[in-house]
Amino acid sequence: MRMHKRIGILSLVVGILTAGIAQSPAPVRADVVWDHWKQAESLVASGNTGAAVPHWKYLTDYYAGAGEWENAALFSGKLDAYYDAIGDYDQAIHYYEQENQYWVNAGKDWGAEKLQRADQIRTTVELYREESNEQIVQQRTQLQGIKLAKFEPAYGAYLGVYSELDPKVGNIFTKMQTVYGKKHAIYLAYSPWGKSFPSAYAKRAKEAGGALQIAWEPHSGLDPVTDGAYLRSWAKEAKASGIPIFLRFAGEMNGAWVEWNGNPAQYIAKFRMLHDVFAAEAPNVAMVWSPGDVPANDIDPYYPGDAYVDWVGVSLYIEPYSNGDPTQPSMLATSNVERLTRLYNTYADRKPLMLSETGVPHYSHSAGEDYTEWAKLNLQRLYEIMPYKYPRLKAITYFNVDQQMDNAKNDYSLSTSSEIQNYYSQLIENPYLLSEVKEAAKPADRVGYVPIDADHQSFTKQTRVIPFIKIPEVYIGKVEYLLNGRVIATQTSLPYGLDLKAGEVPEGSVLQLRVWNKTGKQVAFRTYGISSQVSVNINGKVQSFEQAPAIVNGSTFTPLRAIFEAMGAKVDYDAATRSVTATKGSTIVKLTLDQRTVYVNGKPMELEEPARLVNGYTLAPARFVGETFGGTVNWDGATRTVSITTK
């Protein structure tokens, strides 16, 4: 088995970006324009660059207004470079994005590198939390009204790996659990077109209880890819393997470094032909269309169409230096998270996504530099932040290779560093990272993740909050958590995250994050609304209500009808008298909304707080609701949980 060719992040050619201004303005056009131009040049030459900024702004606006987009872009470039250099990142981002737009207006793609720099210096602080309500989770992870794709989990992300060059695992896939503490769901193998089906890899994947991702690569180009005896035999062997197979045909087709690049129409025709053959011969094969994340503008023309694609994959890598070249500018400020945004926004509402190949190096051989801390920062982003931010990302396959001085010259290996190996093992303990490929798979603990925003502020019992923090300075010095103005935790090491219990977070709470860089400067401060809700267990089973329980005047109110019916009672409501009658066996309970007196088998009793209507639902004191038909009620203030045990 040869090592897969790995190309580093491509440096996009910027053309004339380093050249001078396209042309001087004709004096007849506007003397004032020429004056601004010459004054700016003179100020820069004298070392007073800041004073040139108003002139550059004038010139940018002038040329944009005249529709002379190249000059407008070049002056925008002077502004973004200036603001970036002085650390005014918000202004720099504005002008980087403006420069890109002006290049687009000029019909050129020379602004792509500028957008990359804007992403690098953009401060991001986002919060995600655990959510145990499957309905809420699946609203984010499944397409409405569309059945799951082949082998698509209901939620969660399959854990995948290429282990062939891992000295501790190799092709004995059963070793993954021993070495890293968890069985993986998908194992990656590379297979060239023209060679037989990789049955040995399939056998070992089956022994490990896993599926196989096959990178099927036509190294002689697409012309030999035809329907015939070889293809049909290969497909039948795939079926005979008896395991789920993710077939990634001719991946990274948008990159000039592969032999099958350059003819989108031919690629689409071949992919569609293969889809039809495997649909007929091997229903255990899911077709994965998998470009590289760069060059981004060349991705979409190769898409074969929704009817022919089961999963959309992508090869997505980050590294300290572009193409492993330390003479190039540092790429440390680029994270893996934003690199997926464009592809995700284009295809996630059509197909589940997978990272077909991905990796985070912890050592650069070309530079002889250790990047363990940077790797840990981005491994957390890879296995915690990305599946939460992109809920349709449902598989991650790690390229577990030390490249030495080949290709990008990076060490992506998980086992050559004990610190990285232990950290990876810690991250993948999360049940959200799935160990088995099956239809509609779910995490064993049935816990998903949602962003903390206006729609997802409330939780029950307890939750864990996980921040995604990205700062221009790259390395984070300290993260401080404040709840309702009080510091409740401080973290200076990875992975970042905080456990909260419901009793600590009353309704209407405020959670804030302060972030410092390594020099001790505060660089970010964000505020989020967060609340907890009362939860109800009946005989140990968590109840789900359309109207959540609430605290009213210090008393816990729970939905009356839902709980009575869960306890086996029949409930009737008379809208005319606003009264409720509940019957179970020989016990009859009658109450009227907003009145303290209730009747149990005709005998009056007084409630501390009367039942009331909330959003069309009758809520009543929890203890009354739970005990009326003979239940025992307990209250756990730490998790704000009402537990009802029936006889």
Side-chain angles (χ1 to χ4, degrees):
M1 168 50 111
R2 68 173 182 83
M3 188 172 81
H4 179 58
K5 181 179 180 183
R6 170 66 201 128
I7 304 296
I9 297 173
L10 297 180
S11 295
L12 300 175
V13 178
V14 188
I16 64 167
L17 288 178
T18 56
I21 303 301
Q23 60 179 11
S24 301
V28 70
R29 184 186 304 163
D31 289 340
V32 67
V33 176
W34 181 245
D35 289 342
H36 279 288
W37 193 318
K38 297 305 293 181
Q39 287 182 54
E41 289 183 347
S42 176
L43 288 165
V44 171
S46 67
N48 191 5
T49 306
V53 167
H55 301 289
W56 289 336
K57 289 183 177 179
Y58 175 89
L59 291 164
T60 299
D61 293 342
Y62 170 80
Y63 284 115
E68 296 184 37
W69 300 115
E70 290 192 15
N71 277 345
L74 288 164
F75 279 115
S76 293
K78 292 181 179 293
L79 289 165
D80 54 45
Y82 170 76
Y83 283 118
D84 196 344
I86 67 171
D88 189 342
Y89 297 121
D90 288 341
Q91 287 273 44
I93 290 168
H94 168 74
Y95 284 106
Y96 279 130
E97 292 177 339
Q98 178 173 283
E99 181 184 356
N100 173 71
Q101 185 57 56
Y102 290 162
W103 285 123
V104 171
N105 292 352
K108 304 180 185 301
D109 63 357
W110 295 341
E113 200 170 70
K114 300 307 180 84
L115 286 182
Q116 176 177 274
R117 180 58 185 163
D119 281 336
Q120 289 178 337
I121 61 176
R122 182 175 283 110
T123 295
T124 302
V125 181
E126 299 172 351
L127 266 183
Y128 298 86
R129 67 166 179 83
E130 294 177 335
E131 175 56 66
S132 57
N133 186 317
E134 286 194 75
Q135 183 178 359
I136 293 174
V137 172
Q138 291 179 196
Q139 284 174 351
R140 301 185 71 236
T141 60
Q142 294 184 24
L143 299 178
Q144 293 294 322
I146 299 176
K147 70 177 184 177
L148 296 172
K150 188 177 293 187
F151 308 133
E152 179 185 351
Y155 58 102
Y158 292 133
L159 195 58
V161 68
Y162 174 60
S163 68
E164 187 169 17
L165 298 179
D166 183 339
K168 294 185 179 180
V169 178
N171 284 330
I172 311 302
F173 301 148
T174 53
K175 289 184 178 180
M176 281 301 296
Q177 185 165 5
T178 302
V179 175
Y180 297 104
K182 188 171 182 177
K183 185 170 77 75
H184 284 49
I186 300 173
Y187 298 92
L188 170 59
Y190 296 96
S191 182
W193 175 272
K195 298 295 184 181
S196 60
F197 175 80
S199 56
Y201 294 93
K203 179 176 180 292
R204 289 168 179 163
K206 189 172 186 177
E207 290 170 350
L212 194 65
Q213 182 202 147
I214 301 176
W216 205 12
E217 300 178 328
H219 294 296
S220 297
L222 293 170
D223 288 343
V225 179
T226 58
D227 188 358
Y230 164 71
L231 174 57
R232 296 286 170 165
S233 174
W234 203 99
K236 289 174 181 176
E237 287 190 68
K239 179 181 180 181
S241 71
I243 62 171
I245 292 175
F246 296 90
L247 184 58
R248 173 165 54 114
F249 171 70
E252 302 178 21
M253 78 299 296
N254 56 313
W257 56 89
V258 297
E259 296 88 341
W260 46 90
N261 167 260
N263 189 334
Q266 184 186 27
Y267 175 87
I268 289 172
K270 301 297 185 180
F271 193 101
R272 290 179 174 182
M273 180 271 293
L274 291 174
H275 167 275
D276 292 345
V277 169
F278 284 100
E281 300 281 3
N284 61 317
V285 171
M287 296 296 294
V288 181
W289 174 71
S290 185
D293 75 309
V294 291
N297 291 337
D298 293 334
I299 291 175
D300 298 336
Y302 286 91
Y303 186 59
D306 292 347
Y308 300 92
V309 173
D310 295 307
W311 287 66
V312 169
V314 65
S315 295
L316 187 156
Y317 290 81
I318 57 173
E319 54 192 342
Y321 300 103
S322 181
N323 294 317
D325 183 355
T327 66
Q328 296 294 316
S330 169
M331 296 291 288
L332 291 178
T334 296
S335 88
N336 34 22
V337 179
E338 66 269 12
R339 295 189 71 88
L340 186 60
T341 301
R342 181 193 178 280
L343 192 80
Y344 189 88
N345 289 345
T346 304
Y347 295 101
D349 62 350
R350 298 146 79 173
K351 300 293 175 181
L353 269 69
M354 67 164 61
L355 299 183
S356 309
E357 286 183 26
T358 189
V360 180
H362 57 85
Y363 190 83
S364 168
H365 289 291
S366 59
E369 295 172 349
D370 183 271
Y371 288 102
T372 296
E373 184 179 2
W374 181 77
K376 290 171 70 174
L377 184 67
N378 285 290
L379 280 170
Q380 185 189 18
R381 292 167 176 169
L382 179 60
Y383 286 103
E384 287 197 331
I385 302 306
M386 293 184 76
Y388 309 162
K389 182 178 179 69
Y390 306 113
R392 298 278 297 150
L393 174 61
K394 295 192 174 184
I396 300 171
T397 300
Y398 193 85
F399 187 67
N400 187 14
V401 173
D402 181 358
Q403 292 185 321
Q404 297 293 327
M405 288 299 288
D406 293 326
N407 297 307
K409 307 175 182 63
N410 292 317
D411 187 355
Y412 298 94
S413 173
L414 297 168
S415 66
T416 56
S417 161
S418 59
E419 186 173 355
I420 292 296
Q421 179 178 332
N422 293 335
Y423 186 72
Y424 175 78
S425 297
Q426 177 184 351
L427 288 173
I428 66 172
E429 287 177 357
N430 185 351
Y432 197 77
L433 300 171
L434 306 170
S435 291
E436 182 182 3
V437 172
K438 59 182 180 180
E439 302 289 354
K442 297 179 180 180
D445 62 358
R446 298 297 192 262
V447 171
Y449 294 84
V450 295
I452 296 181
D453 57 23
D455 296 324
H456 303 102
Q457 290 185 353
S458 297
F459 68 94
T460 58
K461 292 189 176 181
Q462 60 187 27
T463 193
R464 180 167 182 79
V465 297
I466 302 97
F468 168 39
I469 302 170
K470 183 175 169 295
I471 60 176
E473 297 88 348
V474 181
Y475 295 111
I476 298 163
K478 181 173 68 173
V479 180
E480 190 175 74
Y481 304 82
L482 298 87
L483 184 63
N484 298 326
R486 180 176 62 88
V487 176
I488 57 171
T490 300
Q491 294 176 336
T492 57
S493 61
L494 291 156
Y496 302 119
L498 178 69
D499 295 315
L500 292 173
K501 289 190 174 181
E504 303 168 332
V505 189
E507 286 87 346
S509 291
V510 173
L511 181 64
Q512 296 171 306
L513 266 70
R514 286 197 185 115
V515 180
W516 283 262
N517 63 18
K518 287 288 189 180
T519 67
K521 177 184 177 182
Q522 182 176 312
V523 292
F525 183 70
R526 298 289 188 273
T527 299
Y528 302 87
I530 190 168
S531 296
S532 67
Q533 291 181 343
V534 173
S535 60
V536 178
N537 293 347
I538 298 179
N539 295 327
K541 183 179 179 181
V542 178
Q543 304 298 300
S544 179
F545 306 114
E546 294 185 20
Q547 171 59 48
I551 302 295
V552 180
N553 296 331
S555 296
T556 303
F557 274 58
T558 55
L560 183 144
R561 177 186 289 275
I563 294 178
F564 275 180
E565 289 181 344
M567 297 175 70
K570 179 178 179 296
V571 181
D572 294 307
Y573 176 68
D574 185 342
T577 60
R578 303 180 75 241
S579 62
V580 176
T581 301
T583 305
K584 181 183 179 183
S586 60
T587 303
I588 300 175
V589 179
K590 293 185 177 182
L591 62 85
T592 302
L593 296 180
D594 300 320
Q595 293 187 12
R596 292 179 182 272
T597 303
V598 300
Y599 297 89
V600 180
N601 290 334
K603 294 182 179 180
M605 61 178 292
E606 296 295 315
L607 301 178
E608 292 184 5
E609 291 287 339
R612 60 196 66 200
L613 208 61
V614 177
N615 297 326
Y617 296 88
T618 302
L619 268 61
R623 188 164 299 278
F624 160 74
V625 174
E627 293 179 346
T628 295
F629 292 110
T632 301
V633 179
N634 289 299
W635 167 253
D636 180 355
T639 61
R640 302 185 78 196
T641 302
V642 176
S643 295
I644 301 172
T645 304
T646 61
K647 296 178 180 179

